[in-house]
Amino acid sequence: MSSIADNIRSVTRRIQKATKAAGRNDGSVRLLAVSKTRPPEDLREAYGAGQRDFGENYLQEALDKMAALEDLGDVDWHFIGPIQSNKTRPIAENFQWVHSVDRAKVARRLSEQRPDHLPPLNICLQVNVDEEDSKSGCNLRDLPELASTVSELPNLALRGLMAIPDPDQPEADLRTSFQALASALEALRRQPDAEGPLDTLSMGMSGDLELAIAEGSTWVRVGTALFGARAGSRNQPSGG
Ligand SMILES: *Cc1c(COP(=O)(O)O)cnc(C)c1O
């Protein structure tokens, strides 16, 4: 069995190769290690191999791991799971990034609850690019208004967009979904009342990161390829 450190090296090589193949700058795509369901020791091992950004889907589990790994100091925590609006405070207080903001109510609360001594919380708006009823994420037609709302919130930095297209769909459809997210970001950059760095596309996972990088991804969110297969029902990327 390969170690987590080996897996980080091989995923990093996949990222570098795909970045180069796409004619993009080395270092323009970053690796977010998705550590949901993994014990703190696995994150510690990844940290030892140089990994600093970790993505978590479940709030209590994430807070427990932060406490267990407090000694590491320079970790950036990314919340990537569905957000209940009554659970925003610990997210605002403990994370550096939130990739899964899909409604104004959650955004307002995160801004209000972000402590003053911390820098603005980095926000990606989650978009339901496949327009599936069952999924979380804002619809493309509602995105301009949500982006303008988030732009006005003082303690948030609007970094860009995130999507979780169904990884099992045909490659052509997956590509179309990634392209849709990339063009939505382009459109926001031209929108006069959407402000923020707008420099981020959070898309691509273990099985489809090359395709996502070809279409402009800047964060690939990788779990299985780093830590191995997850057990049980929490395997669904869109699950809560
Ligand atoms: C679990 C999860 C991932 C990682 O998926 P893998 O296929 O294990 O790489 C990425 N993004 C989100 C939002 C997830 O929930």
Side-chain angles (χ1 to χ4, degrees), residues 34 36 57 80-81 162 164 204-207 221-225 230 235-239:
V34 175
K36 63 176 173 227
N57 297 57
I80 63 173
M162 181 274 236
I164 318 173
M205 309 193 293
S206 292
R221 306 180 311 268
V222 180
T224 310
R230 286 179 296 276
N235 205 34
Q236 289 303 318
S238 55

Side-chain angles (χ1 to χ4, degrees), residues 32-36 38 55-58 79-82 99-100 126 162-164 167 202 204-209 220-230 234-239:
L32 178 59
V34 175
S35 44
K36 63 176 173 227
R38 306 295 168 181
E56 290 282 342
N57 297 57
Y58 313 104
F79 194 80
I80 63 173
H99 293 230
S100 46
Q126 183 176 349
M162 181 274 236
I164 318 173
S202 169
M205 309 193 293
S206 292
D208 56 20
L209 66 89
V220 289
R221 306 180 311 268
V222 180
T224 310
L226 297 181
F227 299 111
R230 286 179 296 276
R234 285 185 160 188
N235 205 34
Q236 289 303 318
S238 55

Side-chain angles (χ1 to χ4, degrees), residues 14-196:
R14 281 174 63 190
I15 293 171
Q16 284 167 343
K17 205 170 154 202
T19 305
K20 194 167 177 205
R24 300 178 51 195
N25 291 337
D26 204 23
S28 58
V29 183
R30 299 182 64 197
L31 172 60
L32 178 59
V34 175
S35 44
K36 63 176 173 227
T37 79
R38 306 295 168 181
E41 304 83 76
D42 284 11
L43 285 76
R44 202 176 277 283
E45 186 177 342
Y47 181 94
Q51 183 65 30
R52 291 294 178 271
D53 290 274
F54 293 93
E56 290 282 342
N57 297 57
Y58 313 104
L59 184 56
Q60 191 53 52
E61 181 191 328
L63 297 174
D64 291 347
K65 276 181 230 180
M66 288 174 188
L69 299 169
E70 209 169 21
D71 58 299
L72 299 183
D74 60 341
V75 168
D76 274 355
W77 295 97
H78 299 238
F79 194 80
I80 63 173
I83 304 173
Q84 290 169 255
S85 56
N86 62 344
K87 298 264 180 68
T88 48
R89 185 177 298 278
I91 297 178
E93 290 176 348
N94 292 285
F95 286 80
Q96 282 73 38
W97 283 77
V98 183
H99 293 230
S100 46
V101 171
D102 63 359
R103 56 202 193 278
K105 183 180 180 186
V106 162
R108 287 199 191 93
R109 292 175 64 97
L110 288 172
S111 182
E112 279 162 19
Q113 295 167 345
R114 180 70 170 169
D116 286 339
H117 68 276
L118 295 177
L121 185 57
N122 294 299
I123 299 293
C124 291
L125 304 178
Q126 183 176 349
V127 182
N128 182 1
V129 274
D130 298 341
E131 305 268 312
E132 279 179 34
D133 290 345
S134 59
K135 279 215 217 154
S136 39
C138 155
N139 289 324
L140 279 170
R141 68 185 165 279
D142 299 325
L143 186 58
E145 190 181 339
L146 181 59
S148 99
T149 301
V150 172
S151 297
E152 286 171 4
L153 295 170
N155 299 324
L156 304 184
L158 181 56
R159 298 299 299 264
L161 303 178
M162 181 274 236
I164 318 173
D166 176 5
D168 295 327
Q169 61 190 315
E171 186 175 309
D173 296 346
L174 207 43
R175 187 183 290 277
T176 303
S177 297
F178 290 142
Q179 285 170 345
L181 196 70
S183 11
L185 182 67
E186 279 309 312
L188 286 189
R189 288 199 183 119
R190 292 190 302 267
Q191 182 178 318
D193 67 349
E195 280 171 43

Side-chain angles (χ1 to χ4, degrees), residues 211-225:
L211 203 52
I213 290 171
E215 301 305 333
S217 172
T218 64
W219 275 118
V220 289
R221 306 180 311 268
V222 180
T224 310

